[in-house]
Amino acid sequence: MASRAILWIAIAVVVIAIIGGLAWYLSRETAQETAQTPQALQPTGEKEGCVIKIGFTTSLTGKLQKESAEQLNGIKLWADEVNSKGGIKLPDGRKCTVKLVYYDDESKSARVQELYQKLITDDKVDYLISPYSSGLTAAAAAVTDGYHKVMIATGAASDSIFTKGYQYVYQLYTPASRYMTSAVDLLLELDQSNKKVALLFENSKFAKSVASATKAYLEEKGFQIVYEDYYPPGTTDFATYIAKISASGATALLGGGHFQDGFNLVKQLYSANIKSIKYVAILVAPPEPAFAELGDAAVGVIGPSQWEPGVKYSPEAAKKLGIEWYGPTVDEFVKAYKSKYGKTPGYHAAGGYAAGLVLQYVIEKAGLDTEKAKEILDNLDIMTFWGRIKFYKEADKHGLQIGHSMVLVQWQKTDGKLTKVIVYPEAAAEAKAVYPIPWSK
Amino acid sequence: MSVVLRVENVYKSFGGVKALEGVSMTVNEGMILGLIGPNGAGKTTLFNVITGYYKPDKGRVELFGRDVTGWPTHKIAQLGVARTFQIPKPFPDLTVFENVLVSIKFSSRKLSEQEAAEEAKRILEFLGLDSHAHMLASQLNVALEKRLELARALARQPRLLLLDEVLAGLNPSEVAYMLEKIKRAKQEFGLTIVMIEHVMHAVMNIADRIVVLHLGKKLAEGTPEEIARDPRVIEAYLGDPKLALAFVERLSSKKR
Amino acid sequence: MESILEIDNLHTGYGKIPVLWGVSLRVEKGSITALIGSNGAGKTTTLRAIVGVLPTWKGRIVFMGEDVTKTPSYLRVEKGIVLVPEGRGIFPQMTVYENLLMGAFNRRARSKIGDSLERVFNIFPRLKERLNQKAGTLSGGEQQMLAIARGLMALPKLLMVDEASLGLAPKLAIEIMELIKRIREEEGISILVVEQNVHYALNIADYAYVLETGRIRMEGPANEIAKNPEIIRAYLGMH
Amino acid sequence: MVVSPELIMGGLVSGIIIGSLYGLAALGLSIIWGVLKVVNLSHGALIALSMYLVYTLSVMYGVPLPVALLASILTGFLLGIAAYYLFVHRVLGGPELASLLSTFGFGLIILGILELAFGGIARTIPVSQHVIEVGHAPIMLVQIIGAIIAVAVAVGAYLLLYRTWFGRAVRAVVMNAEASALMGVNVVRVLALSFTLGVLFAVTAGSLLSLAYSFTPETGTKYELYSFTIVVLGGLGNPLGSLVGGIILGIAEQLTSVIVSGSWGPLVAFLILLVMLIVRPTGLFAKL
Amino acid sequence: MEAKNILRELARGRMITNITVAAIILALLTIGIGSLYSETLSYYRETLSTFMMLFSVVLGLNIILGYTGYVSFGHAVFFGIGGYTAMVLMYYYGVNVYLAMIIAALAAMAAAQAIGFIVLRLRGAYFAIATIAVLEAFRVIVSNVEYLGGSEGLQLEASYYTGYSIAGYRGQMSVHYIAYFLLLGTVTLGLLLNLYVSRSQFGAGLRAIREDEDAAEAIGINTWKFKTLAYVLSSITPALAGAIIAWKRNIVLPEEFFSLTLSIESIISVMLGGAGTVLGTVTGTAIYHTVKTIFLTSFPSLHLIIFGITIAFIAEVLPMGIIGWLRLMSTRLRFLLE
């Protein structure tokens, strides 16, 4: 008995050693990466070297891992660019480098609160960026606002965070209430007679809040909602939902939730070949490059996106609006991102970079004075590669994003090749929207 | 003499197999009743009916003059009935001491912690288990396990004790030891005992009366002498009447 | 006479608790040997050790001249050591036919199923009538017959029957005993019986061993043992 | 919205088709639970693993799909044997908690590997999107093929258990392990093979499901939870019971979706499970 | 051994446990008070809050799993019921957190009585599966009922917190401090409950049920009543923790409050230390929480795999847990390690 136990312990030790070694080997890469930052921190400033600490958590593990990783890439790119230029110039003339302090939150709000506390009190960071997702950001805000620390919320589209009376949290994303409204606007533009809408969203926090806002907007615009249902998270089969949509006589479908279910929904919708449906807009899934795996099924599907590499925000556009342009152009950002990570940035990455950019703007104007930073943010109205950024300043929805708006992408087939193009708003559009969706012909 | 246990016309069957078919018997206060019969005769089933594990299909069970048919086991136990199990069921991850202590705690007596521990110790000493008090019950051998089974039953200070083959698997000296203890326990605790037993000489020696079950029916009842001479019993139980008679002779001669 | 099974100084038990303290016995080829003794003496344990479902702690088991002490039980069955267990151990949710097929599970027996079935039905015609009945619904006597029949399906060279008369009415028990005797006569299989009922066992056996608390107390031709008053001491544990 | 008989019909048919796949997924859990008395909490992870095996082979390495499916199933077989000796053998006959935890641990290891290798993004295997429409409900051809295979596997499993030497040995071990040993059955080997068989069914189900839907490492969880219900519904170790149980669950889920709302679907599954556990924990059908 | 000696050993064991428990509570209290005045302790305050949240569930679970032997695989259901009850009271009726906690605990106890009536008639794996089903059923119901916020959950306004203050911290700022002390109170209550169960006649009865339910009946234990009561007691601290966390985090979400992960984490904690011992729960939860934190930060991408190996290892080699194993090693330790 005992000898067997020893054997087992031995096996376990060996296995753990192997895995540990593997882990060390795999983590070497990231370790080197972080090791570079202090090198870049060498004092280059005129007076004395100083370091600005930016803190946040990111979901290296758990269900938000993928989106979070891209957001982190964006933030890292920003920090590298700033540091390679010697840092940010403060109002007092000092030039300070940026140090990112971040931890893994496992996609769990319990960890988020623990870690933001650590960032503020232990690591004594100067400014904060939110974790990815609304749920985690809500949890983080409950900690950070009490300490009067400015937090730029990126990857968090929920409206409700900003109705809680927080004073130091600022949202970069277009809020959920406006997530799908442009898809409704586009439909109005394309076809005045298409009024029978089916709503099929995931029964999850984010999708549900988009759904209720969209529903209200549809009703306001005189649409008739002929079908409304919510599917449980993790749903893979949509046959009965599609049957009911088909039977409802809907001519447009708005819905979705996460990538996987949106993907399956479109796949099965296409196979079902419901001729009556002329317009399909799906949450989250379409902007993902992996959506192209659907092939023909993807053609004509529209999806709202916070940002796309093809957006047409430019200093000229800013000038037209009479607001300041700040930071790199869209092309500069895309090029820099591509050269660092070898792939085209998506909106999560862009959001991460933009969060850094906003902080950079604030630091240049306000230094490390939080109250001053708050004042600047409250009155901010600029345009960047991310688009227009302006926050709601009254207490009832303080910090809510009101400047930025979504773009709509549509998968189109040009010369037999499947591509994702921006179709709305007109100012940003790369091509005209295909209508009706090809399968209904 | 008051009647402690009365079983009346009890039937019990399991999915078509008739385990008990109209068994009746009466146990008076202070007696030891032996319950014998070949394996599968329904003896343990009868115990389970008396202690409330099984509800009889028909018939009634009376304890201390109260009809307890269909009562839950713990309520019957609280009336002052203790039993041992054919396959001992000690609480394996508790020590011998803890096993007895638990049993004391749930007897009707109200004892302080100190008194309960003293009582447990007394019972362990009585059964010669004091040197094993700190062993886990799962580490005991069969003989000690059987003693613990008895200790736990006695710890309840019962009025009626049901023993299910407490001697099975013991060697002759262990059997003698147990018999001695059962006799002494009967005196000291003022017990009434019903015992299922296969070790014939033991039951013949110790029982005041014997009931023979066979295929779920009561085959015979009487004093050990009567039972030993009953040809039906001999036929059913031992097979060869001649052989059986031979040992009854020996038995009688030894008693004298 | 040639012996089919020889056990030398067998020690075994359950967990750490010893039950057998050096049992030695022989079964002659073609004989019926009885192993009797009181409850808990170790009779069933002996049989389980012989068939190999209990490991041997010490001692030797030789079957047909071959040492099988270390052979796993499923290979011993294939060599022809077959035990009809106490409590019958039939498979209640299987039909009678499937139970019989399970009997012929070992490779040697599988190829001769047709013959075996015929022979078994010859001895137990009642089973043939209930071929598709669930074994669990048979009466006690029929279950015992099925258990023995299933044992025969394995083409045993040594058939061990544990407590065949258990829980049976005397008439039925006698019938079973006669069947066991008939099996020896018609099939020439060596048989080792364990019985709680001394009379039954000694009646059909040629030779008998008396087991007491894990040791052999006595042995001899069955008819002599039957007459020996000492048997009462051993069997009933009297002093 | 009016629920027309046509929609009900569609719900019924898709319930039967999807239910057959649930049944197939449950079959593996059922065999292991029925024979070894172990609730295999790595079941969902194994289902997910097989999906990624098919994906890796057919999408990443371009192996023809049928070959990829067979290879995935074969890997499941080898994995099953290894897993039995590493994670199950030692905890057999012990307290439930030990086997629950050790199989759960095994599941975590698989999930960890999948997360590490593939991350959280959904993957999909491109196959024909042809559908057949019943009562407006689009039913994919691959689903129908899957359902047919599910029925075939269930019937095959039934025949295996009731018509072969191995199957009889398995059932014998379930009823009385010691008596089976006395018949010359190598009990440990039967247990190991039964576990492997269970794993085999799980990976078969996973491989088929991977063709119909996209998947992530967590996809298996839903099938695992549903499988509990189905096994309790259909009786432990009974292949046809699993199939019928799966179909009952599929119909219940799809009809809930048609008549009430899809978001209540899972509740129906858990309520069926609770009611069954209380009313008839042995299942609707005889166990093995 | 003399009965007196046994009693002395027992008393000594109890003293060791008492001192350990008291020391733990005091240490936690010190850190809590310290963090009011020293910012550097704040991080530990938050880590310990997370630890105490898990510990509260573990302490409840230990009563039903450790002492009674029923493997409740979905014990987080009471955490969820507590959290949601409290949130409904706070959100709709503006009830303060203290009252909400008490009502949440009562609601969970009532729920335990009802759930127990259904599931406690099952044993072993069936019981485990049934508790998972109950947990999942609650999650689905909650995410579909609009009154409970559906899948969007319910979130408190920042203004709700204005009335709260501690040592100069007000509103939102005070929440984390107050929650820490409330969690500490819950943990203290849980430890006392566990100590009571481990030392009382009631606990002796539960152990008897765990060891052999039939034999327990035979010595006069009303097993149904006992195990129902144990289940009800086991729901209290998880519910309190749920209520506090709902208040602290200002939001309740179905998947975070009816979480299978939390259930399984608490089972592993109980198992690691040794089920059915007070010291085991402390040891197990502390080790689990620490090791997990280390794994997570040191091997972020491999922690699932390492975790799986660890769990399987415990189940196969150390099924009694660390304290349980030590207790088995010697009878002296058995009395000392309660």
Side-chain angles (χ1 to χ4, degrees), chain B residues 20-42:
Chain B
L20 293 174
E21 286 188 85
V23 174
S24 301
M25 65 181 199
T26 305
V27 181
N28 291 328
E29 195 179 332
M31 80 190 274
I32 296 184
L33 181 96
L35 194 57
I36 66 170
N39 286 6

Side-chain angles (χ1 to χ4, degrees), chain C residues 48 51 53 73-74 77 81-83 85 89-95 98 101-107 110 113 150, chain D residues 161-163 165-169 171-173 175-187 189-190 287-288:
Chain C
R48 296 181 77 227
V51 81
V53 290
S73 67
Y74 62 93
V77 175
I81 307 179
V82 174
L83 171 61
I90 56 153
F91 304 117
Q93 271 96 266
M94 285 187 179
T95 61
E98 283 178 308
L101 286 185
M102 273 314 290
F105 188 83
N106 73 73
R107 221 160 290 156
R110 268 189 220 182
I113 286 180
R150 190 182 60 181
Chain D
L161 283 174
Y162 286 83
R163 295 282 185 276
W165 285 106
F166 169 71
R168 273 192 289 271
R171 288 164 56 222
V173 168
M175 290 174 216
N176 190 334
E178 167 139 348
S180 319
L182 295 177
M183 302 300 114
V185 174
N186 184 346
V187 176
R189 191 188 295 163
V190 165
K287 60 179 184 184
L288 206 66

